[in-house]
């Protein structure tokens, strides 16, 4: 591994080395065609094969049942905060949201900005978002229920999906898509910015029940319309071609690794090692209730801010980057997405023990 460091960034985040090597091999002349994927027409046969394979691999690897559409969109997960209510929340209706942190709040704020009626039926803000709310009642006439499966900043993750009956479950899965086996059939719509577990920034993956595409009103901006973008198989306009190509490679990598079952097993082992290091002596303090702990983002505190600063400095010097907590909450956060190897997590846990011996 030449010049590679252990990358715990929250997003954009680590990509599998095998994927980067394949990109490098094909960068200048894709499969001997004499041009890069970046330089190809999005209407070319070659790119058509790439986007179709990306969609087919998403269906296979993420175990998406029949009746769902995979759409590649732009504008990040943040555009989906608007696209979801624009498409699925008709005037006069209302939607339910469960708030588990900054990203859920942004989703609510964006819907409200559009003049939509939103009910926040549960929130864990009273405990500084240290848990996933357990008790809530879904309004039976809600257009949908929106949740954030994994809070990237606070490090909480839904362990069991809410039973929504006939109300479509909409989920921002940006920071944990593809980290574990998920029963996609429980969801009406899932969206995820690719830049954590699925590829580079610039493309957002939307997985939606096909019948929900019919809800898109005609008078919304074209680039937010699931009916139009999905109806054109993500080729209404120029899509983020290079990003889609990398998503395809990442999905192929997950498949080669043994699929979601194997990836989940490795992710659980990585998380176990890290949480064990946090809980070992009381020097480190996890900030999330145990039942809500995330497999992907692991936040923790040290006895003082000075020690946290030293931790970041010394870990960086030891070849580990991205461990500073989000600017809004401070502390330390290790993002251990699919492409972060077990070896990186073992190295971090060892570093934590050494740091404690030195400063504890
Ligand atoms: C859970 C979650 N939702 C939404 C976003 C915003 O994503 P984007 O930057 O793609 O708009 C992020 C970014 O980190 C996130 O973690």
């Amino acid at each position: 591994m030449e010049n590679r460091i252990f990358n715990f960034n929250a997003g954009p985040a680590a990509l599998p080395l095998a994927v980067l090597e394949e990109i490098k091999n094909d960068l200048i002349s894709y499969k001997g065609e004499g041009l890069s994927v970046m330089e190809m027409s999005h209407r070319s046969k070659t790119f058509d094969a790439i986007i179709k394979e990306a969609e087919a691999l998403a269906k296979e690897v993420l175990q998406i049942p029949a009746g769902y559409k995979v759409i590649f969109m732009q504008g990040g997960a943040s555009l989906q905060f608007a696209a979801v209510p624009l498409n699925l929340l008709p005037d006069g209706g209302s939607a339910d949201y469960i708030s588990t942190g900054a990203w859920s709040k942004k989703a609510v704020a964006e819907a409200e900005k559009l003049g939509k009626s939103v009910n926040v039926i549960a929130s864990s803000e009273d405990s500084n978002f240290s848990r996933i709310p357990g008790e809530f009642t879904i309004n039976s006439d809600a257009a949908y229920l929106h949740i954030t499966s994994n809070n990237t900043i606070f490090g909480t993750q839904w362990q069991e999906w809410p039973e929504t009956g006939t109300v479509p479950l909409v989920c921002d899965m940006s920071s944990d898509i593809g980290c574990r086996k998920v029963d996609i059939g429980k969801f009406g719509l899932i969206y995820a910015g690719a830049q954590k577990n699925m590829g580079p920034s610039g493309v957002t993956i939307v997985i939606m029940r096909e019948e929900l595409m019919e809800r898109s009103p005609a008078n919304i901006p074209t680039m937010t319309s699931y009916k139009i973008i999905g109806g054109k198989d993500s080729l209404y306009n120029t899509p983020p071609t290079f990003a889609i190509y990398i998503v395809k490679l990442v999905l192929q990598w997950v498949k080669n690794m043994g699929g979601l079952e194997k990836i989940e097993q490795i992710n659980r082992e990585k998380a176990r090692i890290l949480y064990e290091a946090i809980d070992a002596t009381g020097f480190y303090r996890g900030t999330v209730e145990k039942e809500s702990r995330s497999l992907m983002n692991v936040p923790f505190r040290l006895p003082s801010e000075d020690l946290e600063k030293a931790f970041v400095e010394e870990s960086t010097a030891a070849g580990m980057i991205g461990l500073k907590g989000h600017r809004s909450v401070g502390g330390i956060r290790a993002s251990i997405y699919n492409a972060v190897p077990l070896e990186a997590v073992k190295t971090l846990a060892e570093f934590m023990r050494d740091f404690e011996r030195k400063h504890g």
Side-chain angles (χ1 to χ4, degrees):
M1 251 208 278
E2 39 160 332
N3 301 328
R4 296 282 293 169
I5 47 173
F6 289 134
N7 180 355
F8 296 97
N9 278 334
L15 282 165
L17 184 60
V19 166
L20 294 174
E21 279 170 346
E22 187 162 351
I23 296 167
K24 183 176 158 189
N25 283 341
D26 284 335
L27 185 66
I28 290 176
S29 176
Y30 179 74
K31 308 289 175 222
E33 290 194 22
L35 77 174
S36 169
V37 173
M38 276 184 275
E39 303 170 291
M40 271 171 203
S41 166
H42 57 293
R43 310 269 175 217
S44 64
K45 258 197 179 148
T46 305
F47 185 74
D48 195 55
I50 290 173
I51 194 168
K52 285 212 169 81
E53 203 185 333
E55 188 180 334
L57 275 167
K59 286 186 172 165
E60 182 187 346
V61 171
L62 303 176
Q63 304 174 17
I64 301 172
Y68 281 78
K69 182 83 186 163
V70 176
I71 312 174
F72 299 106
M73 294 178 75
Q74 302 194 47
S78 298
L79 187 68
Q80 298 303 315
F81 298 161
V84 166
L86 280 170
N87 282 272
L88 303 183
L89 181 43
D91 291 339
S94 70
D96 287 354
Y97 281 69
I98 295 178
S99 178
T100 50
W103 300 113
S104 315
K105 284 173 83 172
K106 284 196 171 177
V108 168
E110 199 70 7
E112 286 176 337
K113 203 166 159 180
L114 293 163
K116 302 286 186 177
S117 164
V118 163
N119 295 310
V120 178
I121 59 165
S123 164
S124 48
E125 189 155 18
D126 58 352
S127 66
N128 197 26
F129 299 117
S130 64
R131 63 191 165 83
I132 298 293
E135 301 274 307
F136 45 84
T137 307
I138 301 161
N139 290 297
S140 58
D141 59 349
Y144 56 82
L145 168 68
H146 181 285
I147 62 170
T148 312
S149 54
N150 183 77
N151 189 288
T152 325
I153 295 173
F154 293 95
T156 57
Q157 189 175 30
W158 285 79
Q159 311 299 336
E160 254 175 73
W161 306 116
E163 290 299 336
T164 60
T166 55
V167 174
L169 180 58
V170 172
C171 183
D172 174 359
M173 225 178 255
S174 292
S175 50
D176 65 348
I177 188 169
C179 86
R180 57 180 172 177
K181 230 177 111 110
V182 166
D183 180 359
I184 305 277
K186 285 198 177 305
F187 296 83
L189 186 149
I190 292 166
Y191 62 88
Q195 64 270 22
K196 299 163 203 298
N197 251 351
M198 284 287 123
S201 58
V203 63
T204 308
I205 299 163
V206 176
I207 301 164
M208 70 187 294
R209 225 181 276 147
E210 273 164 12
E211 79 230 22
L212 287 177
M213 285 164 65
E214 292 312 312
R215 286 205 200 173
S216 304
N219 64 348
I220 61 173
T222 303
M223 292 308 294
T224 64
S225 168
Y226 299 132
K227 190 176 188 171
I228 296 176
I229 308 295
K232 296 280 183 196
D233 293 329
S234 313
L235 287 163
Y236 168 79
N237 72 333
T238 316
T241 50
F242 200 64
I244 291 169
Y245 155 69
I246 299 174
V247 167
K248 177 190 92 100
L249 297 182
V250 170
L251 286 163
Q252 185 68 55
W253 173 81
V254 173
K255 187 177 164 180
N256 295 346
M257 288 286 290
L260 279 195
E261 285 81 0
K262 185 69 191 169
I263 288 278
E264 173 168 352
Q265 193 190 326
I266 300 168
N267 283 334
R268 290 199 182 279
E269 176 63 2
K270 280 154 46 183
R272 187 192 64 74
I273 291 171
L274 202 45
Y275 286 116
E276 218 169 82
I278 291 169
D279 294 336
T281 64
F283 179 74
Y284 298 103
R285 183 172 56 82
T287 52
V288 172
E289 291 184 15
K290 285 194 177 153
E291 321 69 70
S292 297
R293 282 175 161 181
S294 167
L295 290 175
M296 296 281 97
N297 307 98
V298 182
F300 57 94
R301 304 298 309 234
L302 273 72
S304 71
E305 286 186 14
D306 283 345
L307 280 172
E308 288 169 351
K309 199 162 162 255
F311 185 96
V312 171
E313 280 166 15
E314 291 183 29
S315 58
T316 306
M320 288 172 275
I321 65 149
L323 288 165
K324 194 168 188 275
H326 189 269
R327 60 189 181 282
S328 63
V329 296
I332 306 294
R333 169 180 55 175
S335 297
I336 51 173
Y337 299 121
N338 290 354
V340 175
L342 184 61
E343 189 198 349
V345 175
K346 285 185 176 164
T347 305
L348 173 58
E350 197 49 50
F351 172 84
M352 288 168 70
R353 286 186 281 273
D354 284 347
F355 187 88
E356 183 180 344
R357 270 194 289 277
K358 207 163 124 195
H359 298 277

